[in-house]
Each structure stands twice: as structure tokens, then as C-alpha cells.
């Protein structure tokens, strides 16, 4: 984190193009052009400023390369990024020295977005978690999440059932609570009931209540969850698990606004809003005769689909940081952020257990992490950055992800090929092959 008054400055040894300067300025970075021959004298840097040095070698001849390599070696505390042309990426001792002194490097044409992201990482930026002011409990700024938030706002004031779909852990219950909190019923009860967890013979009495003596063990009259939530909202999780008789009672409640307690024939008028969730395909259950079609239509008036976490990769880091910060408030722990490679893995992992799995992994990592940064190993996500010859495993289906993983690992290992190969669990030959494939022409640096 940087203070409000600190300036972000790129000291650019070489010649930035007009577009490059503009893009940096838009991202909040001042550019100061410097001359490698001037030995860094004229660069006015205040304490507290964030400074990154750019070794722009795109137009460098062999002499300039040598001077730059010396300059970089003389200022090892500055974070250096190197810019190379396709031609400079050949194996010479000067290039080798430049790369060894660099935290990361870029080859022309420069990917400005990656460059700006890298600068942000060096400045310690964490994407600010977006908490929607009036939508409690929901974090994320991906397009998929914005669409969810728009639907929540639209559906909340309407007194109709909402069917929430989505894989496990995507936040279906969070969405249901938000709907309640945004609705005029917000000050009335909210009841979340997992239909799959209720014993089949007790579902009716749990949901709708029973009269004294209506069955063995019914020693007293009991109010069901629906009646207890009068005036509020009932969230029926795993609604597909409701047994047939309870389906009939629910249909009646939705159609007529009445219920009967078990053991009674008296109709009770009740005002509740019903929200339902399912992670199974309810249409299929209808087709197979396991779920009533008329009930399905009643529940499915408004539909909200919670996107899987892998569909909102932009949100993963925000959520991870949010969960880490929350954990830190409760427990003693050193971890404050995630390493570059860990961020990569978090973004590339497929998250079968979605947000819940992310929460669990972050909490576990916070416990086992020893330093200030959570590593890939702490998250137990080594597989995500592992490639095997011939095919990519898990996360590495996208070529750019593969390239980024290799670069990130080379960077973390200070271009030590053997160490990089060991961390990525591939052979050194594979590292060379990957470098060639992605035009990272590196030889063994040792
Ligand atoms: N958008 C989100 N922002 C913050 N936390 C979330 C979000 N979505 C889910 N969570 C958290 O993830 C976990 C799983 O959410 P939950 O609603 O129980 O998922 P589901 O009901 O779909 O299985 C909960 O701890 C919840 O607080
Ligand atoms: Mg749930």
C-alpha cells in the first residue's frame, strides 16, 4: 500500500513512445525519461515515492546494452523491468546480465496492459474489493456479477418467487439474503431451509407445522418454518429434494396463500415470499416425474443464475483478498497478500467448489503461510501451474496463461532454469521448449 501523497514514477532509460507515455499516465504513472550514460544523476526521487526503472533496450546497440547492464547492477535495489526488441532477445552476455537484473521483461510489441499490471503489482496494489453499497454480502466487479446485481435490484421489490440456480458454492444463499434485504420485507424474518437435509417423514411438519397428537411423538402443537417467517421470506434450498406431498402443500401456499398444519383441516392465511434454489437441473426432474410441473412454473417466475467462479476470473483476487483480510481480523497471521505466482494460480484454477472452495483454500493458506505472502503451495494449487510435456494439465489450457506462468516462475527464480523447472515440475528441456514457443529466448543463466 502506498500513501496518498506518494508519486508513482517510471524512470525510463531509453525512449518511450507517445502512446506508451499516455497509457502510463492514464494508469497514474509519471514517466521521467533518463539517459543510461547520465548514470542516473538527474533523477529527482523523493522518499516514499514508488519508483520503477525501465531498461528500454529496444534500440540499444551492444555498447548501450553493456552500459545498461552495469547501471542495473549498480542499482540493485531499484525494481527493473527490461524492454527488448525481437533482435535483442539473443544470447549475449550483456542480455544475460540485463535479464538477471530484471524482475520481468517484455518483448516488442510491448503488451501495455501486462506492463501496467506488473507496475501495479510492484506498487503493491490489490484490486479494491467492490462491495455494492445497497447489496449486502456480494463482492465482485466482473460483468457476470454486475448482471447478477442488476437482477437482484430488479427482482427485490417484486413480491414473486425467484428461482436461483447455479453450482454449489456460487453464492445462491447470499443472493437470496440480498433479495430479502433489498425488499420491503427486510425487517421481517428470513428463513433459510435446506430441503435436502430434512428427514423425509418430517418435512411436512417442519415446514408447515403440526397439531398436538397428529402423529406419534407430536406432544404439542408446533409452528412450522413458514408460519414462523410470516411477513418475511422463506428460502428453500435444494428445492428439488422436496418429497411429493410437501410439493403439493407448497403449490397450494403459492397459489392460494394458505397452509394447513399436519393433523388439521383448518386453512391458515399466510403472507410469505418464497425464494428457491437448486443445483440440479429442475427441468430434468420435471421430465422424469420427480418434480411437479405446475410447482416448477410457479417457482420459476423470476430466474437468477449465479455464475460459476471460473466465469468471473476478475473477481477471484478481490474475493481472495477480502477473505484474507477477514481472516486476519480474527486470527494472528503473517500473510497479507498473495505472491505473483499465487495470483496467477488463483486466476487460472477452475474452482469446482466455487466461492466456498476459494474461502476454504484462503483460510487454510492463511494458517500455513509463514511469510507475508501466500504462495502457490500454501494454497495447494501447484497443479495449476504445472505443465507436462505434450499436454497441459488443469489450468493451462490458454497459451497466454502458460506463457505468463513460465515468465512469472522465471522471474520468481531470478531466471534460474533448474529451479524454475523444479517448481513447475517439468524438465529443463521443457522450460527451454516453452521459452522458445513463447519467444522467450533464454539459455541457461548459470
Ligand atoms: N459474491 C460474494 N461475495 C462474498 N462472499 C461470497 C459471495 N458469494 C459467495 N460468498 C461466500 O461463499 C460461501 C458460499 O456461498 P453460498 O451462498 O452458501 O453458496 P451456495 O448456496 O450457492 O452453495 C459463503 O461463505 C458466502 O458467504
Ligand atoms: Mg447453499
Amino acid at each position: 500500500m502506498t500513501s496518498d501523497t506518494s508519486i508513482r514514477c517510471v524512470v525510463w532509460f531509453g525512449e518511450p513512445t507517445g502512446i506508451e507515455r499516455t497509457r502510463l499516465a492514464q494508469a497514474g504513472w509519471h514517466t521521467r525519461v533518463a539517459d543510461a550514460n547520465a548514470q542516473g544523476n538527474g533523477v529527482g526521487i523523493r522518499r516514499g515515492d514508488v519508483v520503477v526503472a525501465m531498461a528500454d533496450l529496444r534500440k540499444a546497440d551492444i555498447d548501450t546494452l553493456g552500459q545498461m547492464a552495469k547501471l542495473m547492477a549498480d542499482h540493485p535495489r531499484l525494481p527493473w523491468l527490461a524492454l527488448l526488441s525481437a533482435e535483442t532477445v539473443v544470447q549475449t552476455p550483456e542480455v544475460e546480465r540485463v535479464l538477471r537484473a530484471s524482475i520481468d521483461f517484455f518483448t516488442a510489441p510491448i503488451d501495455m496492459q501486462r506492463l501496467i499490471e506488473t507496475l501495479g503489482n510492484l506498487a503493491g496494489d490489490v484490486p479494491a474489493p467492490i462491495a455494492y453499497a445497497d447489496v449486502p454480502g456480494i463482492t465482485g466487479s466482473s460483468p457476470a456479477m454486475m448482471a447478477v446485481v442488476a437482477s437482484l435490484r430488479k427482482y427485490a421489490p417484486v413480491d414473486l418467487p425467484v428461482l436461483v440456480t447455479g453450482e454449489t458454492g456460487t453464492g445462491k444463499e447470499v443472493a437470496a439474503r440480498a433479495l430479502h434485504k433489498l425488499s420491503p420485507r427486510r425487517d421481517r424474518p428470513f428463513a433459510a431451509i435446506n430441503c435436502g437435509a430434512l428427514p423425509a417423514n418430517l418435512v411436512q411438519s417442519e415446514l408447515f407445522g403440526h397439531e398436538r397428537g397428529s402423529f406419534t411423538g407430536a406432544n404439542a402443537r408446533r409452528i412450522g418454518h413458514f408460519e414462523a417467517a410470516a411477513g418475511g421470506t422463506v428460502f428453500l434450498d435444494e428445492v428439488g429434494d422436496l418429497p411429493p406431498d410437501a410439493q403439493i402443500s407448497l403449490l397450494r401456499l403459492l397459489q392460494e396463500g394458505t397452509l394447513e398444519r399436519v393433523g388439521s383441516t383448518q386453512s391458515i392465511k399466510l403472507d410469505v415470499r418464497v425464494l428457491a434454489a437448486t443445483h440440479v437441473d429442475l427441468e430434468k426432474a420435471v421430465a422424469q416425474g420427480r418434480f411437479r410441473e405446475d410447482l416448477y412454473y410457479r417457482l420459476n417466475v423470476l430466474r437468477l443464475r449465479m455464475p460459476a467462479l471460473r466465469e468471473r476470473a476478475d473477481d477471484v483476487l478481490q474475493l481472495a483478498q477480502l477473505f484474507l483480510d477477514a481472516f486476519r481480523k480474527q486470527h494472528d497471521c503473517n500473510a497479507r497478500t498473495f505472491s505473483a505466482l499465487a495470483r496467477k494460480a488463483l486466476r487460472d484454477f477452475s474452482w469446482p467448489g466455487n466461492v466456498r472452495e476459494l474461502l476454504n483454500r484462503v483460510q487454510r493458506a492463511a494458517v500455513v503461510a509463514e511469510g507475508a505472502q501466500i504462495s502457490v503451495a500454501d494454497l495447494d494449487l501447484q497443479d495449476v501451474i504445472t505443465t507436462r510435456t505434450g499436454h497441459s494439465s488443469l489450468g493451462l489450457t490458454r497459451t497466454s496463461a502458460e506463457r505468463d506462468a513460465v515468465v512469472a516462475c522465471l522471474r520468481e527464480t531470478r531466471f534460474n532454469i533448474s529451479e524454475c523447472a523444479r517448481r513447475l515440475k517439468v524438465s529443463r528441456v521443457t522450460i527451454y521448449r516453452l521459452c522458445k514457443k513463447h519467444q522467450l529466448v533464454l539459455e541457461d543463466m548459470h
Side-chain angles (χ1 to χ4, degrees):
M1 281 294 134
T2 55
S3 76
D4 288 346
T5 55
S6 69
I7 290 178
R8 296 167 169 229
C9 182
V10 175
V11 181
W12 196 300
F13 292 89
E15 282 178 49
T17 66
I19 293 173
E20 286 161 359
R21 274 171 169 270
T22 309
R23 289 289 305 277
L24 285 179
Q26 285 165 347
W29 289 87
H30 295 262
T31 305
R32 286 184 208 160
V33 178
D35 185 348
N37 299 311
Q39 295 295 310
N41 291 337
V43 185
I45 293 163
R46 294 184 315 162
R47 255 182 103 168
D49 287 356
V50 177
V51 178
V52 178
M54 197 73 72
D56 183 354
L57 299 163
R58 289 174 294 183
K59 293 187 181 164
D61 55 22
I62 197 79
D63 289 343
T64 319
L65 256 175
Q67 278 156 8
M68 190 69 82
K70 181 171 182 312
L71 185 63
M72 293 168 82
D74 289 346
H75 297 277
R77 307 243 316 255
L78 270 181
W80 286 93
L81 299 177
L83 305 184
L84 307 171
S85 72
E87 295 79 56
T88 35
V89 194
V90 289
Q91 185 57 30
T92 65
E94 288 80 10
V95 170
E96 182 183 314
R97 283 166 59 206
V98 164
L99 290 182
R100 225 187 274 174
S102 312
I103 287 174
D104 201 350
F105 65 93
F106 298 77
T107 46
I110 308 298
D111 178 346
M112 282 307 285
Q113 194 181 336
R114 189 169 77 82
L115 178 63
I116 286 166
E117 253 177 49
T118 305
L119 289 170
N121 280 346
L122 289 172
D125 288 352
V126 169
I130 294 201
Y132 298 93
D134 57 344
V135 183
I138 305 260
T139 299
S141 53
S142 60
M145 221 47 215
M146 312 250 263
V148 166
V149 167
S151 295
L152 288 172
R153 288 189 176 129
K154 194 162 63 184
Y155 294 170
V158 187
D159 226 3
L160 287 169
V162 179
L163 182 63
V164 189
T165 62
E167 295 174 15
T168 182
T170 48
K172 297 187 292 295
E173 184 164 339
V174 169
R177 282 182 194 279
L179 278 171
H180 173 71
K181 281 289 170 206
L182 293 174
S183 80
R185 298 172 179 270
R186 65 179 69 88
D187 297 324
R188 312 288 306 167
F190 175 87
I193 298 146
N194 185 343
C195 301
L198 297 174
N201 58 334
L202 290 179
V203 175
Q204 284 280 45
S205 101
E206 287 280 328
L207 294 181
F208 303 100
H210 62 245
E211 296 294 339
R212 183 169 180 214
S214 54
F215 54 89
T216 321
N219 301 324
R221 167 195 275 182
R222 182 162 182 246
I223 297 291
H225 290 303
F226 276 107
E227 267 188 90
T233 306
V234 171
F235 171 58
L236 297 174
D237 206 354
E238 302 312 341
V239 73
D241 290 341
L242 271 189
D245 55 342
Q247 289 183 30
I248 295 175
S249 304
L250 177 58
L251 181 64
R252 179 162 168 201
L253 179 64
L254 291 171
Q255 283 180 334
E256 295 161 23
T258 61
L259 62 76
E260 281 168 17
R261 297 186 191 126
V262 175
S264 161
T265 51
Q266 199 202 336
S267 262
I268 298 168
K269 200 98 191 113
L270 187 69
D271 167 36
V272 286
R273 184 182 191 185
V274 176
L275 308 175
T278 177
H279 78 276
V280 299
D281 190 345
L282 221 44
E283 285 86 351
K284 207 152 132 202
V286 169
Q288 294 171 345
R290 285 183 290 115
F291 201 81
R292 294 182 67 101
E293 192 173 17
D294 45 10
L295 177 58
Y296 171 69
Y297 285 121
R298 278 278 157 180
L299 290 173
N300 190 29
V301 185
L302 303 175
R303 198 174 178 111
L304 181 70
R305 182 183 165 275
M306 295 305 289
L309 189 54
R310 65 187 159 278
E311 295 170 42
R312 31 179 163 141
D314 294 351
D315 294 349
V316 174
L317 288 183
Q318 285 182 16
L319 284 165
Q321 191 67 49
L322 180 82
F323 295 150
L324 178 58
D325 291 344
F327 186 85
R328 282 165 51 77
K329 283 202 187 114
Q330 308 268 334
H331 305 86
D332 229 5
C333 100
N334 296 329
R336 289 161 189 279
T337 56
F338 299 85
S339 76
L341 206 55
R343 291 169 192 234
K344 182 88 221 126
L346 284 169
R347 226 186 316 212
D348 286 349
F349 188 47
S350 59
W351 299 110
N354 295 293
V355 185
R356 184 176 295 113
E357 179 176 9
L358 176 63
L359 174 67
N360 292 339
R361 276 192 196 260
V362 168
Q363 291 183 341
R364 189 186 151 278
V367 172
V368 300
E370 308 214 316
Q373 289 203 330
I374 286 181
S375 71
V376 173
D378 297 333
L379 288 160
D380 201 12
L381 287 178
Q382 300 93 319
D383 282 354
V384 181
I385 50 152
T386 302
T387 51
R388 281 174 221 299
T389 328
H391 74 91
S392 316
S393 71
L394 275 171
L396 284 185
T397 45
R398 286 176 298 132
T399 303
S400 67
E402 182 178 78
R403 184 196 182 282
D404 290 353
V406 173
V407 171
C409 191
L410 281 168
R411 192 174 65 197
E412 288 194 0
T413 58
R414 308 293 292 176
F415 301 92
N416 180 331
I417 301 278
S418 306
E419 173 64 12
C420 183
R422 199 182 60 74
R423 287 202 195 175
L424 292 177
K425 298 203 180 75
V426 295
S427 65
R428 286 159 44 102
V429 174
T430 302
I431 297 290
Y432 289 124
R433 192 181 56 75
L434 288 169
C435 287
K436 194 159 173 208
K437 176 177 166 193
H438 298 296
Q439 298 178 324
L440 313 166
V441 186
L442 299 170
E443 295 297 324
D444 191 351
M445 298 282 167
H446 286 258

